[in-house]
Amino acid sequence: MISIRAKLSLWLTALVIVATLVALALFESVLRQAFHDSIINRLEEDLEHIVLATEIHDGAIHIDESQLSGFYRPAFSGRYYQLNLSDQVIRSRSLWDQQLDTQPLSAGQTRVWQAKGPKNHDMQLLSLGLASSDGSVSATLTVAQDLSIGRKVFSEINGTKLMVNLGMLLAMLAGIFIVLRQSFKPLRQIKQALSQLKNGEIRALELDSIPAELHPLAATYNELLEYTGKQISRSRNNLGNLSHGLKTPLAVMQQQVETLALSQPELAQTMAQQLDAMHRLIARKLASARITGDMLPAAQLQVPKDLESLSATLERVHQGRQIPIHLELARGIARLPLHREDGMELIGNLLDNACKWARAEVILRLYPLNDRLWLSIEDDGPGVDEQRLHELTERGKRLDEAVSGHGLGLSIVKEICEQYDLGLSFECGERLGGLKVTLSLPPQ
């Protein structure tokens, strides 16, 4: 799913672009209208000046060009006038040998239009109908302006405006990116804090550095962490108390079984076997409680800290046999993608099993290969017949009754591997010659 930041970026970028395009269209429309109005205003002024410069002497009409702008003198200057009478046409010198195509108008009537003029250029024209006071003379006066020069200037202004608007658009987009980056900075801090929490570096989120909008969520998360931690601690304590509480009754039952052996040896033997299984189960639960220790409910298994702690604990558990556990850990691996308690139980069971069967040493290797993490545990014990390797993970199945255990360890290993979708394989070790167990884990 697309992130909130990406959604905001896309929506704000689209909004700014649409707003800029609409503003460009409106600005260009207003600019074109202003350009058109300025030309009409200039033509109206020219029309007034020409009317004032027009004289009638003895029935003849004459236009005094000395009173007019010098733009009407050069040929094809772009500004023209033409006076159409019933029997003659008076033109500005700028028209040279050209003539404007006009229509006769009655007195006071005006006409505004565009047409082709000299050099086939587009022109804006304004005509006004004139008449003498006695009505004996009527004429149509037309002024015109070439639009090509104005349009060229308009295009240059429009291009400059487009570049300025493009620069403003890029600046606004950069501003949106900076604002969003700064706005989401607290979320990146929370993400980093969650990563530290996952690695077990901190025990709770620091509420002082969290924005007010996310403060309730972070506080609830901290409360959930605290509640879960208390539940785990309470369950572990209850398990330890139960295991310790059963020791005395079991000791009494053991004495009764020894007494019973004098009269009913077969029944006593059966009960002794069950009592022995209960003793082993209690020992395993107590060892599991020691292994997991005080853990954060959201933490992942850390490398090498947790593996070193786990190997040290199991070396103390098997202190009588003096089996060292050698760790060979590749560099750059900070944690394993397992819940810390599950990881400790998983690897703890495998190391415990290896220590039970080892003669002199156990080796734990952790290394990356083919975009996955691989963890192998190998001992120098007698190993397992290849034909019976598949029986190792069967619940309650023990291939040798001479070694202490109740047959649950490797089946629990299998259950945890299935829960995390981990690869689990058993084989004969090439290095030490005993059993080799390999776990395949996803990358960090």
Side-chain angles (χ1 to χ4, degrees), residues 211-227:
E213 294 82 359
L214 299 177
H215 197 279
L217 177 63
T220 303
Y221 188 78
N222 281 346
E223 292 174 1
L224 180 61
L225 280 177
E226 183 180 2
Y227 174 77

Side-chain angles (χ1 to χ4, degrees), residues 243-279:
S243 299
H244 283 292
L246 289 175
K247 282 188 174 182
T248 300
L250 288 175
V252 174
M253 292 177 66
Q254 186 68 38
Q255 293 176 356
Q256 296 295 326
V257 169
E258 292 176 358
T259 303
L260 183 62
L262 299 176
S263 59
Q264 300 183 40
E266 294 181 0
L267 178 59
Q269 182 180 3
T270 301
M271 293 182 65
Q273 291 176 352
Q274 297 301 319
L275 287 173
D276 182 56
M278 294 176 68
H279 275 296

Side-chain angles (χ1 to χ4, degrees), residues 162-180:
L162 182 61
M163 295 300 295
V164 171
N165 288 334
L166 181 60
M168 293 177 62
L169 175 61
L170 294 177
M172 285 188 289
L173 293 179
I176 290 175
F177 175 79
I178 294 174
V179 169
L180 288 178

Side-chain angles (χ1 to χ4, degrees), residues 264-338:
Q264 300 183 40
E266 294 181 0
L267 178 59
Q269 182 180 3
T270 301
M271 293 182 65
Q273 291 176 352
Q274 297 301 319
L275 287 173
D276 182 56
M278 294 176 68
H279 275 296
R280 292 168 181 167
L281 180 58
I282 291 172
R284 176 187 176 276
K285 292 301 180 183
L286 289 175
S288 177
R290 290 195 303 269
I291 289 172
T292 54
D294 184 18
M295 296 181 178
L296 295 175
Q300 286 190 338
L301 193 144
Q302 293 182 327
V303 178
K305 177 182 176 181
D306 289 332
L307 293 181
E308 292 174 348
S309 174
L310 182 59
S311 61
T313 300
L314 286 169
E315 285 178 353
R316 288 194 299 269
V317 171
H318 298 275
Q319 187 175 6
R321 302 190 62 226
Q322 296 184 348
I323 304 295
I325 300 175
H326 303 290
L327 301 180
E328 298 179 0
L329 310 177
R331 295 182 179 179
I333 303 176
R335 64 180 185 271
L336 296 183
L338 299 172

Side-chain angles (χ1 to χ4, degrees), residues 35 80 165 199 213 293 303 387 424 437 440:
F35 175 69
Y80 314 100
N165 288 334
N199 295 335
E213 294 82 359
V303 178
Q387 298 178 354
L424 174 64
V437 185
S440 173

